[in-house]
Structures are given as structure tokens and as C-alpha cells.
Amino acid sequence: MTDTQRGERASPVREIEFEIDESAYPFVSASNRLDCRIELAEMLPRGDGEYAEFFTVTDGEPAQVDDLARAHESVDTRLLSGGENSALFEFHVSDECPAVTLAELGALPQVVRAEGGTGRIVAEVPPQYDAVAITDSFLDRVPEAEFSAKRETDSLTTPFSRTGFRRELRSRLTERQREVLEAAFEAGYYEWPRECSGEAVAAELGISSPTFSEHIHAAERKLLTMVFEESRNRNGT
């Protein structure tokens, strides 16, 4: 282990927490109107300042959630799956979303949840970033938020060990899905700002854009399933 690695390991990770009681944000207003629980499972960059956010909705009618989300001009919504008591939505949002704002400031949102009209956001700040500066900048950009807590943890939260994650990933993705996902990652498709378009990755792989979209979304869906399962295992649900 190098001296640099020892220093990084010794530096604490700051965890910052905020509350938001503001109907301007769809996940908060929907939880209030429908008395349900809405929680962010994953957030992926889509380019041009937009992100795809995947939310689970518990104890809420999917059609009503969809209607409320579509009432916000800055949000495009798509129901991915729905059952009697839960649903999975994909929201396309811009930097008006508080979770996106935190991510762009350098924090890592770990909990983005709303119940009964009260939103809660918990993010981890890596050692190389200033938690105070991020908190101040976030509150300037999201004045509806209220700072509620700051804690220290030993390390960043990771749902899988590296070896376990790779093993699980290989077991779930087809060879083609893994090839497309790796090519997109290496080309900078997930960087911000995006370094390579889906069309360019498709051309590099010698496939059509619709085929690329089919494989990349299938791979992303399986990765999200892994996230959901790990989250449920940690929460005992």
C-alpha cells in the first residue's frame, strides 16, 4: 500500500443530510398527494444536462404518480413496471433536481426518499471534496432544502465487493450486453459532459442505434435489479 493510499484511507468520508418540504419537486409532492413512499434507486447521466432517475413507488397508484409527474414541465416520465403495491418509474430530469445538483457538486447521493410530503436526501462526500463548501453551494442552489445533519463514516458505501460484483454481473448479462456496456463506458458515454454518443458507440460496434439502445437499456435494467435486491437485503425487506 502506498503512502497516498494510506492517506486516502485515513481520511474520513463526510455524510451530509437535508430535508425538503417543497411541492416543486415531483418526488416530494407525489408522496404528499398520494400518501406513498418514493425512493431513488439509481441515477444515470443522459447528456445535455439531463439524467435518468429510477424511482420506486410503494403504496401509491402508478397511474396517479404518472399523472402528477407529467404535470411538471421539467420531467419526462415512463412507467417501467408496476404491481399491486409497488412500481418502478424512470424520470428524465435536468439540473433542477436536488439529487442531480448534489452529484454535480461532487457528492454521492445515497438516499433520496420522500414520505408524506417530506423529502430526505443523504449524500456522501469523498475525502478529496470539501463537505462545507458542497453544503453551502447546495443550499444556495436549492433554497427549499434545510441542512439537518453531518456525520463521518470510515468509507464510501458500496453495495458489492469488486470481486462479487463482477461475478454477479457476468452471471446476469449476456455476452453482447456486457460488450455494449463496456464499450459505452470506455468511450465516455457515461461521462459528464458525455464524451461519446450512443450512435458513435453503435457505429464502433458495427450495430444499429436501435440495437445499441436495446442492449444498453437491458444491461442497465439488470444492473438496477442488482441495486434493488441489495437495498432490500440491507433493509430486511
Side-chain angles (χ1 to χ4, degrees):
M1 181 182 296
T2 66
D3 290 340
T4 299
Q5 288 173 322
R6 290 190 185 96
E8 289 177 350
R9 180 163 293 184
S11 300
V13 174
R14 266 73 177 188
E15 190 177 78
I16 51 179
E17 182 173 339
F18 306 89
E19 286 191 3
I20 298 181
D21 297 308
E22 176 54 57
S23 61
Y25 298 107
F27 79 108
V28 177
S29 61
S31 75
N32 185 37
R33 295 277 298 275
L34 303 178
D35 193 23
C36 63
R37 172 173 170 166
I38 301 179
E39 185 166 10
L40 180 68
E42 186 59 276
M43 181 171 63
L44 300 173
R46 291 302 191 200
D48 297 326
E50 294 186 349
Y51 283 74
E53 294 184 334
F54 298 85
F55 277 90
T56 57
V57 178
T58 305
D59 296 328
E61 175 58 44
Q64 292 179 311
V65 174
D66 191 41
D67 289 341
L68 290 175
R70 291 180 186 278
H72 293 261
E73 295 181 358
S74 62
V75 178
D76 290 328
T77 182
R78 183 162 64 105
L79 175 62
L80 299 179
S81 63
E84 183 177 350
N85 296 314
S86 64
L88 172 63
F89 282 88
E90 178 182 357
F91 294 158
H92 277 228
V93 301
S94 65
D95 57 6
E96 296 177 4
C97 172
V100 170
T101 300
L102 274 172
E104 292 186 341
L105 288 171
L108 305 174
Q110 297 294 337
V111 176
V112 180
R113 179 187 303 146
E115 291 184 85
T118 297
R120 176 173 177 257
I121 300 178
V122 179
E124 292 179 347
V125 180
Q128 64 267 32
Y129 291 100
D130 186 335
V132 174
I134 288 178
T135 298
D136 290 343
S137 296
F138 178 71
L139 293 175
D140 285 341
R141 293 173 61 176
V142 186
E144 301 87 359
E146 180 179 346
F147 177 74
S148 57
K150 182 173 73 173
R151 296 174 288 269
E152 289 188 359
T153 60
D154 294 332
S155 61
L156 294 172
T157 301
T158 54
F160 294 95
S161 68
R162 181 173 297 181
T163 301
F165 178 82
R166 288 176 176 171
R167 185 186 302 115
E168 186 71 12
L169 190 62
R170 289 192 189 97
S171 71
R172 299 199 184 200
L173 298 183
T174 66
E175 182 176 350
R176 192 54 161 169
Q177 289 167 356
R178 187 168 62 253
E179 178 187 14
V180 169
L181 191 64
E182 290 178 353
F185 179 80
E186 293 296 333
Y189 179 78
Y190 291 108
E191 294 296 325
W192 177 253
R194 178 170 286 174
E195 297 177 355
C196 186
S197 67
E199 291 81 2
V201 179
E204 180 182 341
L205 292 171
I207 59 178
S208 67
S209 292
T211 299
F212 168 81
S213 295
E214 177 184 351
H215 287 307
I216 200 75
H217 286 122
E220 290 172 352
R221 177 74 66 82
K222 291 178 179 179
L223 286 171
L224 287 168
T225 299
M226 293 166 65
V227 172
F228 283 131
E229 289 176 348
E230 179 65 17
S231 176
R232 287 166 181 160
N233 288 339
R234 289 199 306 269
N235 293 332
T237 58

